[in-house]
Structures are given as C-alpha cells and as structure tokens.
Amino acid sequence: MRWAPALFGLLALALWEAAVRLLGVPVYVLPGPIAIVGAFAADPVGLLQSLASTLFVTFAALAVAAVLGGAMAVAMSASRLAQAAIQPWAVALQVTPLPAIAPLIIIWIGQPFLALVVCATIVAFFPLFASTASGLASAPPELNDLFHLYGARRWQTMRLLRLPAALPYFLTGLRISGGLALVGAVVAELVAGSGGFASGLAYRILEASFRLEIPRMFAALVLLALAGIVLNYGLGAIGQAILRRRGGV
Amino acid sequence: MLTVSNVGRVFPGGVEALRDTSLRLAESDFIALLGPSGCGKSTLLRLIAGLDQPTSGRMIWDGRPPAPGDIGFVFQDATLLPWSTAEDNVYLPLRLRGVSRGEAVPMVHAALHRVGLTGFETARPRALSGGMRMRVSIARALVTRPRLLLMDEPFAALDEFTRHKLQADLLDVWKEAGCTVVFVTHSIYEAAFLARRIVLMTPRPGKIAREMPSSLQAAAETRLDPAYATFVADISRAMQAALTS
C-alpha cells in the first residue's frame, strides 16, 4: 500500500516512454521520460540554481504571507472596526487574478526580486488569512463565557484561548499557502519574463520553449512539480510535529 | 446571598425564555433547578453568573457583588483547553487573576486531590475519560474557592455508573467547600439525590412553578433509602401537576 503511488508512477512513466517510442512522437511535441532525464543531466547545476531562485521567492512570500495573514486575522478578531476595514480588501485581493495585476506590480516596484515576492504573497495571503481568522473564532462559546466569568482581559483571552485555538487552522493555511506561493512565484516569473529576476525555473521554462528545447522545459516542469510535492508534505510534517508537541491538538 | 427578583429574559426575536422569576439563594444552599428542556433553567443560571442580563427584574446580591473567582461555573461539557494539561486547566482561573504558578500550584493540587485526580496533573484532556474530564472541570470551578458554584447539567452526558459516583463525590465536595450550589438538571432522580431544595420550572415561557425542600441526608447511602424513592415520586407528581396546569 505504501509503495502504491511510486509503483503507479513508474508504470505511468514506462507507458509514457513506450507510447512515445512506438508512436514515433517527435521530441519537440512530447519528449519521453528518458529524454527529460537526459535534459536534466545535461545541466543539473543550472536547473537546480533556478529552482533555488524560485524557492527563495516562494519562501520569502510564504513568510510575508504568514506574518501579514496572521497579524491581519488577529487584528480582525480583536476589533470590529478592523474587521469592517480589512475583510472587503482581503476578498478583493483574493479574487483579483495575478496575471492581470502582476505587470503593474513589476512596473511599480521596479526591483525584480521584491516584485516577484509581492506577487507570490498576494496569491499565498488569503488561505493563511482566512484559515487563521476561522481558527481565532473557533473556540467554543462556553470557553469564551468562562474567560469572561473569570474576568479575563481581551489580551488574555487572545493569548490563552484564541491564538492556541487558531494554531491548527494557521498550520493548515500554511500548508495550502505553501503550494500557492510556489504557483504565485512561477506565474510572476512567467509574466515578468526577461524583465524579472531572470533566474527562476519559470524563466528557464520560457527560455527553453523559445529555443524549442522541449525536454529541458519538461525537466524544469518536473522539478517544479517535485518542489511542490516536497513543500506540501514538508509543511504538513512541520505542522504535525508542532501539534504533536502540544499534545496532538 | 442572592435574591432573584421578578426576573424576565426575552431574547432578540421575541422568544421569552424566562418570566417573572423570583428565587432566594442562601449561603451553603444546594438548589436544583429541575424542568424539561426549554423551561429557562440554563438562562436563569447564566443570569445568575452575569453571563447574560435580564430584560426585566433585578438580581440583588447581599453585600458586595461577586468578583471574578467568586462564582464557579461547570458546563454540560467539560470545556477544557484541549492543549493544556489537567493542572494548567485548573490553574487557568488563578492565572487570569494574576496568581503566579508557584503560588497557585498548592491550590491547584488541592483542587485536583479534592476531585480524586491526584496523579493526573500532567494528563491532557484527550487522555482522560469523560468522567475524569468533568472532574477537572469541577476542580477548575473550585480552585478559586467560589462562594457560588453554578452547574449546568454537568453529568448529563456521562454513563450512569460514572454519574452516580460523581454525584456522591459532589456532595462530599459541597460539604467540604461549604459553597452555595445551583445545579441545573432535567433528571428528577438527580435533583432528589443532590439538592436540599428543588425548584420546579415549566416552559413557554420559563417560570418557577414550585419549590420543594428535601429532608433527605446528603450522602451516597441516600440512594438506597426508601424515603428517596418516595421523594422522587413526590417530585414526579408535582412536576406532572405543574406541567398540566
């Protein structure tokens, strides 16, 4: 059971390779897995450096989204005025498609790295913000009553009840936003093109497609997919470890 | 201790939960608020706790009004902080009052000992049974040495054996702590066993139909006393009459 995903993946790769060879599909239309591995082997350092560049943007955006999303959710939970002020803008930010605003952000900010981080942050922000806000409101009403009965101050209720109650929600949001930050970073790199950081994996994908180096393009795509999987499982494992340390809740 | 004077509570939307309710609580009293669902028992308890405000009538405290910690509250669910140990859950009311951990530890351990949970200080709620979680909740309510202990159907979700044990233990705790207890229940057996005074309530709108004093001994053996069965029958008849009148 544990090896089922790996075995299924290997089987799919074998079928893919066989189909490409038997049907004589040209490499510029669809390269087989062996050609993709070959493209990676031809320039592993270049592709891995590009991956590191994209991940750098991803982690920076995730950190900013975590701080901003968490802080704004706390502000919203603490004040109705803040809730009224923040919520519509947060929703507006969520529904605005990144490719539509990324060119403007890149022009306005000017500095490529910062512009990419801002774009990726916009995509990663909402799940963190929304899940933390839900978590802060998730404490049972009886516990809120209990804190009120014992004369708890607002900051005590926040620190001892709402923030601990929100932790699992925040960690779930972090896991979702991790993947979205990667997507945001890639989309921003694609939109920025040569005007961007010019070193990320998305830029390599663009570059390879212009040169019709389709196996290299696929190698970059596979690296991105693998990075997304590792990011998702890694953030999930970190979340579980944190919750396990405080008793599994 | 407290006089509830002609108190009424109408919720937004027009639902009248409580009408013209008067009740007097004396020091070291043990009162059961008994009635079917929707008769305003929990509403009255929340009004006494100050968690809700009456729309009419007054709550008049003898002497000074209650300060934080003067009232202990036990809910139907144990409502513990799931990420905290039993000790930290019991420490919570003291922590909110600014009592340092070092100062609180003897009080916390004494409260846990009183409910029979010595040795479970570091256990988290998920590692405890339903009955033990409720004991932690009672210890938390007792740790501030409250003048008034309010309990909202605290044993309703427990099995019968655990319920009987906790009821007997509650009587011991009450006799030892000497606080006033107001206990909400819809079980005639539970009310008859525990309370010194049973307040019968009827629904739509919630109001007090009758008060019945108990002459039974506040002890575990009472359950085997024929007078207990007679008292249960008396309450049942009175409740039936109140509901049909």
Side-chain angles (χ1 to χ4, degrees), chain B residues 63-186:
Chain B
R64 65 174 173 85
D70 280 348
I71 298 178
F73 205 113
V74 181
F75 296 90
Q76 185 169 348
D77 293 318
T79 55
L80 303 176
L81 301 175
W83 51 84
S84 292
T85 61
E87 186 176 281
D88 283 347
N89 269 289
V90 177
Y91 172 42
L92 180 70
L94 299 173
R95 188 176 186 179
L96 293 174
R97 288 166 68 184
V99 179
S100 71
R101 184 178 285 274
E103 204 182 329
V105 161
M107 292 185 262
V108 170
H109 286 188
L112 282 169
H113 178 72
R114 191 182 275 174
V115 297
L117 281 181
T118 299
F120 291 92
E121 291 83 358
T122 56
R124 286 202 165 78
R126 65 182 302 182
L128 300 172
S129 68
M132 290 163 100
R133 283 199 287 268
M134 190 48 75
R135 284 172 190 272
V136 176
S137 185
I138 294 170
R140 180 180 62 191
L142 292 172
V143 76
T144 56
R145 297 182 171 276
R147 290 160 61 199
L148 179 59
L149 179 59
L150 305 175
M151 307 182 85
D152 191 0
E153 301 187 42
F155 307 144
L158 303 177
D159 66 86
E160 196 166 351
F161 300 103
T162 310
R163 195 161 56 236
H164 281 193
K165 177 80 175 85
L166 281 176
Q167 286 166 352
D169 290 350
L170 176 63
L171 284 179
D172 291 339
V173 166
W174 168 63
K175 284 186 275 189
E176 195 185 320
C179 57
T180 302
V181 178
V182 181
F183 191 101
V184 165
T185 180
H186 51 233

Side-chain angles (χ1 to χ4, degrees), chain A residues 188-215:
Chain A
E189 280 177 10
L190 286 174
V191 173
S194 57
F197 212 24
S199 64
L201 264 187
Y203 184 73
R204 296 286 161 244
I205 290 170
L206 276 180
E207 191 184 52
S209 72
F210 291 150
R211 293 177 183 168
L212 274 182
E213 294 173 347
I214 306 304

Side-chain angles (χ1 to χ4, degrees), chain A:
Chain A
M1 206 64 170
R2 199 176 153 196
W3 297 104
L7 286 174
F8 179 76
L10 280 175
L11 182 69
L13 287 175
L15 285 173
W16 177 4
E17 185 67 39
V20 165
R21 283 173 189 265
L22 289 172
L23 299 172
V25 180
V27 81
Y28 55 84
V29 174
L30 179 65
I34 291 171
I36 294 169
V37 170
F40 175 75
D43 181 23
V45 175
L47 284 172
L48 287 174
Q49 275 177 345
S50 294
L51 174 65
S53 169
T54 300
L55 285 179
F56 190 40
V57 173
T58 301
F59 284 121
L62 188 60
V64 175
V67 172
L68 268 183
M72 286 170 90
V74 168
M76 229 175 65
S77 162
S79 151
R80 287 185 180 208
L81 179 68
Q83 183 177 12
I86 293 170
Q87 204 158 26
W89 293 106
V91 174
L93 206 61
Q94 189 223 355
V95 297
T96 307
L98 181 64
I101 53 169
L104 284 173
I105 291 168
I106 290 162
I107 292 166
W108 288 338
I109 293 178
Q111 210 279 334
F113 173 72
L114 213 58
L116 295 185
V117 170
V118 168
C119 289
T121 301
I122 288 171
V123 182
F125 167 80
F126 196 79
L128 266 161
F129 166 74
S131 56
T132 308
S134 296
L136 288 166
S138 70
E142 290 86 357
L143 273 171
N144 278 304
D145 283 345
L146 197 79
F147 274 68
H148 176 71
L149 189 72
Y150 287 119
R153 294 172 193 279
R154 283 169 74 175
W155 64 266
Q156 286 179 311
T157 307
M158 182 61 78
R159 192 168 73 86
L160 297 172
L161 177 61
R162 290 190 179 181
L163 284 176
L167 182 65
Y169 294 79
F170 173 80
L171 292 171
T172 303
L174 194 68
R175 188 175 183 178
I176 297 166
S177 289
L180 287 177
L182 182 63
V183 171
V186 169
V187 170
E189 280 177 10
L190 286 174
V191 173
S194 57
F197 212 24
S199 64
L201 264 187
Y203 184 73
R204 296 286 161 244
I205 290 170
L206 276 180
E207 191 184 52
S209 72
F210 291 150
R211 293 177 183 168
L212 274 182
E213 294 173 347
I214 306 304
R216 183 175 165 82
M217 190 178 130
F218 268 80
L221 276 173
V222 169
L223 276 182
L224 268 181
L226 289 176
I229 291 168
V230 170
L231 197 62
N232 187 284
Y233 278 100
L235 288 171
I238 290 169
Q240 279 178 355
I242 290 171
L243 293 180
R244 217 175 9 252
R245 262 194 80 186
R246 70 162 198 175
V249 281

